[in-house]
Amino acid sequence: PGSTDHPQLPIIPQGISRSHFHSAISELSTQLGQDNVSVIDKPPKDDGWYMEHATTHDMMSVVPKHEFMASAIVYPASTAEVQTIVVWANNHSIPIFPISMGRNLGYGGAAPRVRGSVVIDLGRRMNKILDIDSEDYTCLLEPGVSFYALYEEVQRRGYKHMWIDTPDLGGGSVVGNTLDRGVGYTPYGDHWAAHSGLEVVLPTGEVIRTGMGALPGSNTWQTFPYGFGPYSDGLFSQSNFGIVTKMGMTLMPAPPDHESFMYTFEREDDLAQIIEIIRPLRIGNILENVAQLRSAVQTLAVSGRPKSDFYKGSGRIPKAVVEAECANLPIGKCEWIYYGMSYGPKHIRQYKLDIIDAEFKKVSGARRIDPATIPKDNYFWSRDKIAAGEPDLEELLWCNWVPNGSHIAFSPVSPIRGKDATALLDITNKHQDCQGVEIFPAFVVGLREMHLIVECVFDKHSPSACEAALASMRGMVDDAAKLGYGEYRTHLALMDQVAGTYNWNDNALIKFHERLKDALDPKGILAPGKSGVWPSRYRGRGWEM
Ligand code: ADP
C-alpha cells in the first residue's frame, strides 16, 4: 500500500487491475441494477452536512480524503442482495465495507478503513421498520431506520406509552449506532444492552439469525436475547465478522412524567468531588439516566457562535474569557455543568431530586439552575428532549466553533472515581495546547463506569490543524493506556493504535480475533482492518497505521 496526493479515480482496491475492477463492477451492476451501483470516478463535490453527507469518504476527514475513500457504493434492497454482494466480493477479492447510514461522525463517518473498498450502503433501500410490538415494547429494524424515523413511527401509531432512546444526534441509524456500541440518554441508553436478536450475512455469504431467531417459528427473538449455546451477538459489534441486516431493539415504557435538571460548578478542581458524589447516586439509580458533566466551553460553543466571536487571539480561548461569557448565559459563571433527568410521578421525582440536591450542594458554589428561568432556545432544552427519547440535532452546533469545523473523539473508559477523572483530564489538558485544535471534555456516566468523551474540534481544510488534531488524539490514547485506560470506540485512523493497547498476555485477544477473522472470512474481504482486526491477506503488509 501507499498513497499519492491525487490518486486516479476510482481508487482501485489493492491487488486487482483497473480492468478487472471495471468488469467486476459491471457484473455487479447486472445483478443489482445499474442505479444501485455507483462508481466514484469523480472527486466528491463536497462533504455535505450531517443529514445530507457524502458517503464516498469521511466528511470530517482528519487525514487526506483519499486515504479512506471508496471505489464504489452499492445499494442492496434485501438480505439476499447483500449475500449477492458478499459472494461477488469473494469471487473478485474486492474489499467491501458495510454502513447503515454512515453518520458515524467523529469516528470515520461513511468511510471504509481500506481505500478502494466498495461501500455497501444498507441504509438507502433497506430502511423498513419491520415490526413495533406495542405490548412487548420491542421493534425489529433494518439498517436504514434512523432514530428520527423510529421516533416518528412510534408517534404516528399513537403509541404514547412507549419511548425510544436516542443519542446526541438523532439522524443516524439505530442499527449502526447500536453495533458501534453508542449510547443515549434515557434509562435505556446502553443501546447494545437494549438490543435483542440479529440477522447477519457472514463474510462467505451464509445468513444466520442469533438468539431465539435461530429457532424456526420462535416468537421470542426480540424478547430473549440469548437463545441457546454460545452468545454470538458480541462478535458482530464493532467487528468485521458479518453484515447485520436486521436487529431487534427493546423500547422503554413511557414514564408518567419526567423533569430535567441542571447543576453548575464553579471550579475545574471541583471535578473529583463531583464524580465521587455521582458514583453512588448513579449506581443506586437516584441519577437515573446516562448523565453528562460538560465543560463550560462546550456549552458556550453549542450556542453555534464561532470562537472568534469571543476571542480574537491565537491558541485556546482563555479560561477568563469563557467565564466572563458564561456569566451572561443562564448557566452563569462556571466550569462544569451537569445535565440530568428524573423520571416518574412528582412524589417519586421529588424524593430523588432532594437527595441529588443535597449531595451536589456539598460542592461549594454548586448551583441548581431553575428550568423556569431558562429561555426556550437554550441548549438545556435540547438535552431535555434527548433525555426523553426525542431526537435532536442541536449538538452539531459546536462544530461552528472553528471554521470548517470537524471533530474526532478520544473516548476512554474509567471507573467513576475522582482520581480517574482528574488523571484523564490531566492527559487531555496536556495534549490540547496544539495550534488550531479545540477540545471539549464531557464525562458521560454509565452505571458503573464513565466514558470521558473528549471532542477535538479542528479546521478540516487546514492540514496543520488536521495533523495537530490527530497527534493530540494519538498522544492521549498512549498516555491513557499507560495508566490503564482504554477507549470504548475510536476513529478509523486510530483503530490500530487503540486495538494495540488491548494487548494483555502477548496480544492474546487480538490473536483470537485474527483467528476468528481468518476462519470466518478466508478471503479477507469484509471491512479489513476495522477495529484493528486485519485478515491474513493484509496483516503485516503496511496497512496498519
Ligand atoms: P450511523 O449512521 O448510525 O452513525 P454507521 O452506518 O456510520 O452508523 O455505522 C457505524 C459503524 O458500524 C461503522 O463502522 C459501520 O461499519 C458499522 N456498521 C454499520 N452498520 C452495519 C451493519 N449493518 N453491519 C455491520 N456493520 C455495520
Side-chain angles (χ1 to χ4, degrees):
S3 63
T4 56
D5 283 345
H6 300 289
Q8 192 186 345
L9 297 181
I11 298 177
I12 303 298
Q14 217 222 354
I16 72 165
S17 68
R18 204 160 273 279
S19 59
H20 180 175
F21 176 77
H22 284 293
S23 73
I25 285 286
S26 56
E27 179 192 317
L28 191 62
S29 306
T30 311
Q31 287 173 296
L32 299 185
Q34 298 286 345
D35 290 349
N36 300 316
V37 178
S38 164
V39 174
I40 301 154
D41 48 13
K42 286 192 262 326
K45 266 206 307 289
D46 57 26
D47 293 328
W49 75 291
Y50 176 68
M51 291 303 274
E52 291 163 72
H53 62 300
T55 46
T56 45
H57 62 281
D58 182 1
M59 66 166 284
M60 297 195 156
S61 205
V62 71
V63 293
K65 257 182 212 155
H66 61 264
E67 243 352 299
F68 298 132
M69 194 181 280
S71 54
I73 309 179
V74 297
Y75 304 101
S78 63
T79 303
E81 287 195 357
V82 174
Q83 292 177 275
T84 301
I85 297 165
V86 168
V87 170
W88 168 88
N90 274 284
N91 289 341
H92 296 285
S93 294
I94 291 179
I96 48 179
F97 191 91
I99 59 168
S100 282
M101 300 178 85
R103 296 199 174 123
N104 199 18
L105 300 194
Y107 297 110
R113 172 63 182 83
V114 162
R115 62 185 162 280
S117 297
V118 171
V119 163
I120 306 177
D121 182 340
L122 298 151
R124 180 178 288 188
R125 299 169 75 213
M126 296 174 70
N127 54 12
K128 286 187 285 303
I129 296 171
L130 299 169
D131 184 38
I132 300 181
D133 190 311
S134 65
E135 292 175 351
D136 292 341
Y137 295 79
T138 61
C139 60
L140 183 66
L141 308 174
E142 288 190 330
V145 178
S146 68
F147 292 94
Y148 270 107
L150 182 58
Y151 175 82
E152 281 158 14
E153 184 60 15
V154 169
Q155 306 313 306
R156 195 190 65 77
R157 295 192 191 187
Y159 292 157
K160 300 220 177 311
H161 61 300
M162 220 159 20
W163 276 13
I164 74 153
D165 184 279
T166 175
D168 299 87
L169 293 173
S173 147
V174 180
V175 172
N177 180 279
T178 304
L179 291 177
D180 225 28
R181 302 201 287 266
V183 302
Y185 298 90
T186 74
Y188 279 38
D190 181 345
H191 293 164
W192 182 251
H195 97 283
S196 183
L198 302 175
E199 179 182 87
V200 189
V201 175
L202 297 178
T204 39
E206 303 87 343
V207 194
I208 61 169
R209 288 187 176 179
T210 67
M212 297 308 291
L215 193 148
S218 157
N219 51 10
T220 46
W221 194 19
Q222 272 63 72
T223 48
F224 183 63
Y226 306 124
F228 180 76
Y231 179 56
S232 39
D233 288 40
L235 292 176
F236 301 108
S237 89
Q238 287 192 6
S239 93
N240 51 12
F241 299 155
I243 301 175
V244 174
T245 45
K246 293 184 180 68
M247 186 189 78
M249 193 74 187
T250 51
L251 298 165
M252 179 173 144
D257 210 346
H258 57 278
E259 148 180 21
S260 277
F261 56 91
M262 174 160 79
Y263 282 84
T264 61
F265 304 92
E266 283 181 349
R267 291 165 300 272
E268 188 172 273
D269 289 351
D270 290 335
L271 178 65
Q273 189 185 1
I274 304 166
I275 297 293
E276 288 293 318
I277 289 171
I278 289 173
R279 184 182 59 254
L281 295 182
R282 185 70 188 100
I283 293 176
N285 211 28
I286 299 295
L287 293 170
E288 295 163 89
N289 65 340
V290 179
Q292 291 226 2
L293 186 67
R294 291 198 167 208
S295 61
V297 65
Q298 189 168 20
T299 295
L300 197 57
V302 87
S303 64
R305 290 167 63 198
K307 181 176 95 170
S308 55
D309 264 19
F310 306 103
Y311 179 62
K312 301 275 183 252
S314 63
R316 285 184 73 205
I317 184 167
K319 267 195 186 328
V321 177
V322 177
E323 280 181 9
E325 291 296 337
C326 287
N328 300 324
L329 300 175
I331 50 175
K333 180 173 163 295
C334 65
E335 279 290 337
W336 297 108
I337 301 128
Y338 185 95
Y339 295 94
M341 183 176 273
S342 184
Y343 303 87
K346 175 79 184 157
H347 64 284
I348 305 260
R349 296 201 310 272
Q350 204 53 53
Y351 172 79
K352 296 184 180 189
L353 289 171
D354 287 346
I355 298 174
I356 294 164
D357 195 65
E359 290 298 312
F360 277 157
K361 295 269 177 69
K362 287 179 181 166
V363 181
S364 91
R367 289 187 307 128
R368 181 174 200 265
I369 311 295
D370 179 359
T373 67
I374 303 175
K376 281 294 164 204
D377 61 353
N378 189 275
Y379 174 68
F380 173 84
W381 298 110
S382 165
R383 293 247 62 95
D384 180 64
K385 276 170 74 178
I386 291 167
E390 185 180 341
D392 196 59
L393 292 180
E394 201 169 328
E395 189 68 24
L396 275 176
L397 289 172
W398 49 250
C399 288
N400 296 349
W401 193 239
V402 300
N404 312 305
S406 292
H407 62 103
I408 177 169
F410 163 63
S411 320
V413 177
S414 84
I416 316 169
R417 283 192 208 284
K419 70 175 170 48
D420 295 297
T422 308
L424 285 171
L425 192 66
D426 287 348
I427 291 172
T428 306
N429 283 333
K430 175 179 148 195
H431 289 281
Q432 70 180 344
D433 286 322
C434 313
Q435 201 61 26
V437 173
E438 294 284 327
I439 279 184
F440 303 144
F443 290 90
V444 179
V445 185
L447 205 51
R448 279 181 176 72
E449 54 68 45
M450 61 188 177
H451 305 2
L452 168 60
I453 307 293
V454 179
E455 288 291 4
C456 168
V457 185
F458 61 95
D459 176 348
K460 66 183 168 187
H461 292 169
S462 156
S464 64
C466 291
E467 273 173 34
L470 196 54
S472 70
M473 293 287 107
R474 290 210 184 279
M476 289 183 202
V477 170
D478 278 345
D479 281 0
K482 282 181 205 138
L483 298 181
Y485 305 112
E487 285 67 55
Y488 93 103
R489 186 179 186 186
T490 200
H491 187 277
L492 292 174
L494 296 166
M495 284 177 173
D496 293 312
Q497 186 187 0
V498 169
T501 64
Y502 286 78
N503 59 13
W504 181 78
N505 192 16
D506 192 22
N507 293 298
L509 184 63
I510 193 86
K511 286 178 192 164
F512 171 67
H513 290 156
E514 287 171 353
R515 275 166 70 190
L516 288 171
K517 182 67 179 162
D518 291 341
L520 293 171
D521 184 7
K523 288 274 182 97
I525 46 101
L526 183 58
K530 167 101 196 255
S531 297
V533 180
W534 292 95
S536 64
R537 192 153 78 87
Y538 289 78
R539 244 172 355 247
R541 288 179 165 80
W543 284 95
E544 296 86 352
M545 57 165 67

